[in-house]
């Protein structure tokens, strides 16, 4: 997702704001957690994250657009790409925004973006088996056509429930987005109609906890975790101390459910680990030890509060710059 262009004064103001605030405000990550930097120069617009279940410490990601049918496996220990998967059997991707791993061991790639909010009457989901070996490989994917029951819309979040396998999409709307539920099983024979089941805030990505009991949704300025019961999120959710990231685009849980990983776009983008307060490990991962020295629950550096401070200072500087330009114009 590309954000709207800023004026030169706004760009200068934001740069100044980031420079004068503590470096922690631009997300360095929680000490001791497994934050990492994506170092592959080909990954310029990382828009989704999915934690591998069969390759410990590996995360699947992809570019937003203008790349191709590619998915990358990144090793969090080094930040390096350890595999690139090329998809065949599908059309040309338009705006790939999300990735999620289902209980069937399949990766689901959401070509669901629509920046003009209604240009396309259908979008696509691509599904392929998670490679058992980490190497550059070409695989044949299955393509599913998706339509929304209430008409076309922009979306950036796709989540596969880790127990039922049902696919959900969260639309992106500044006034009132929606959570859409897909059919019990996706079909290649006809369009898969997704129906609105709940209202959600402005969402750029989402992820289910490994046990399926919680749904975390993130946007540019917020992240919240909701209890998820009977196919619906409940209540207003609990605020998550997500890091401040210039273009907050992705989130996933670690396989043990103890940590949320928050990603963003850009070259050398940072993936920030945030411990889940009072997280109960999933049964399949309960024997996995916590990372050495990892805190039980600490507020991450570069939290939402600090991000808000950055924005406040930036807007103040933009306003001041505009006033200065007006004064200069009058004096001329």
């Amino acid at each position: 997702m590309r954000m709207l262009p800023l004026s030169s004064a706004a760009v200068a103001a934001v740069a100044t704001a980031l420079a004068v605030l503590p470096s922690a405000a631009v997300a360095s990550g929680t000490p001791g957690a497994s934050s990492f930097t994506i170092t592959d120069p080909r990954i310029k617009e990382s828009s989704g994250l999915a934690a591998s279940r069969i390759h410990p410490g590996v995360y699947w990601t992809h570019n937003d657009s203008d790349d191709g049918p590619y998915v990358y496996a990144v090793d969090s220990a080094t930040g390096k790409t350890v595999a690139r998967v090329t998809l065949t059997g599908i059309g040309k991707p338009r705006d790939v925004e999300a990735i999620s791993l289902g209980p069937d061991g399949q990766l689901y790639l959401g070509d669901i973006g629509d920046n003009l909010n209604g240009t396309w009457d259908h979008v696509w989901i691509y599904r392929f088996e998670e490679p058992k070996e980490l190497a550059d490989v070409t695989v044949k994917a299955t393509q599913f056509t998706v339509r929304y029951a209430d008409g076309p819309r922009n979306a950036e979040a796709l989540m596969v429930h880790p127990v039922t396998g049902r696919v959900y999409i969260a639309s992106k709307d500044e006034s009132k987005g929606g959570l859409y539920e897909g059919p019990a099983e996706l079909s290649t024979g006809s369009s898969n109609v997704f129906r609105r089941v709940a209202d959600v805030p402005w969402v750029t990505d989402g992820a289910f906890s490994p046990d399926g009991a919680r749904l975390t949704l993130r946007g540019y300025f917020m992240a919240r975790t909701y209890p998820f019961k009977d196919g619906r999120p409940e209540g207003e959710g609990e605020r998550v101390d997500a890091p401040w990231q210039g273009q907050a685009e992705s989130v996933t849980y670690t396989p043990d459910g103890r940590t949320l990983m928050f990603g963003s776009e850009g070259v050398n983008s940072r993936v920030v680990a945030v411990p889940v307060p009072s997280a109960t490990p999933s049964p399949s991962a309960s024997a996995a030890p916590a990372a050495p020295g990892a805190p039980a629950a600490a507020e991450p550096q570069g939290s939402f509060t600090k991000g808000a401070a950055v924005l406040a200072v930036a807007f103040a500087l933009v306003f001041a710059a505009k006033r200065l330009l007006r004064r200069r114009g009058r004096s001329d």
Side-chain angles (χ1 to χ4, degrees):
M1 167 64 188
R2 292 182 175 84
M3 299 183 71
L4 294 176
L6 297 173
S7 67
S8 58
V11 172
V14 172
T16 303
L18 292 175
V20 299
L21 286 171
S23 59
V26 289
S28 60
T30 303
S34 54
S35 301
F36 65 96
T37 298
I38 298 174
T39 61
D40 190 335
R42 296 173 298 180
I43 305 174
K44 300 176 182 179
E45 294 184 302
S46 174
S47 292
L49 282 176
S52 173
R53 296 196 195 105
I54 59 178
H55 304 294
V58 168
Y59 293 85
W60 295 98
T61 189
H62 54 85
N63 282 310
D64 183 337
S65 56
D66 299 328
D67 184 18
Y70 306 121
V71 178
Y72 302 83
V74 178
D75 184 355
S76 62
T78 63
K80 296 180 179 180
T81 296
V82 291
R84 186 175 81 160
V85 178
T86 302
L87 305 184
T88 63
I90 64 174
K92 182 180 179 180
R94 292 187 298 203
D95 193 356
V96 180
E97 292 287 354
I99 189 169
S100 185
L101 183 61
D104 54 1
Q106 306 263 343
L107 284 162
Y108 292 70
L109 193 63
D111 191 355
I112 56 177
D114 184 348
N115 290 336
L116 297 180
N117 220 15
T119 302
W120 300 315
D121 64 355
H122 67 277
V123 291
W124 298 302
I125 294 173
Y126 313 125
R127 187 181 68 189
F128 61 99
E129 185 177 359
E130 180 180 15
K132 294 182 172 55
E133 296 183 3
L134 293 174
D136 289 355
V137 64
T138 299
V139 302
K140 186 174 182 179
T142 302
Q143 177 171 309
F144 303 98
T145 299
V146 170
R147 300 181 191 273
Y148 301 98
D150 52 358
R153 59 207 55 249
N154 188 27
E156 295 190 10
L158 178 147
M159 301 77 63
V160 182
H161 195 277
V163 177
T164 66
R166 192 182 289 265
V167 182
Y168 294 83
I169 294 174
S171 68
K172 181 181 178 183
D173 190 292
E174 59 184 305
S175 58
K176 185 180 288 186
L179 182 68
Y180 290 80
E181 180 185 72
E185 293 186 7
L186 297 179
S187 169
T188 58
S190 60
S191 294
N192 296 272
V193 178
F194 278 60
R195 304 183 185 283
R196 191 181 186 111
V197 295
D199 294 337
V200 295
W202 179 290
V203 173
T204 59
D205 202 13
F208 284 108
S209 59
D211 60 4
R214 299 182 301 279
L215 172 64
T216 295
L217 299 175
R218 81 165 304 179
Y220 292 129
F221 311 118
M222 69 86 202
R224 303 192 75 83
T225 295
Y226 303 82
F228 196 82
K229 297 181 180 179
D230 300 323
R232 309 288 185 271
E234 293 190 338
E236 298 300 317
E238 178 181 356
R239 187 176 72 85
V240 178
D241 284 322
W244 161 248
Q245 294 172 305
Q247 198 157 341
E249 286 287 330
S250 57
V251 65
T252 190
Y253 279 84
T254 52
D256 62 7
R258 295 177 184 267
T259 307
L260 281 162
M261 307 295 290
F262 290 91
S264 65
E265 289 189 357
V267 178
N268 293 322
S269 61
R270 187 77 171 155
V271 177
V272 182
V274 176
V276 175
S278 305
T280 301
S282 61
S284 62
S286 59
E299 181 176 351
Q301 299 294 318
S303 65
F304 170 85
T305 303
K306 292 174 181 174
V310 173
L311 287 177
V313 174
F315 283 125
L317 289 170
V318 170
F319 179 74
K322 287 182 176 179
R323 292 191 63 181
L324 179 61
L325 289 173
R326 289 195 191 101
R327 289 177 181 175
R328 286 180 177 176
R330 292 191 190 106
S331 64
D332 292 340

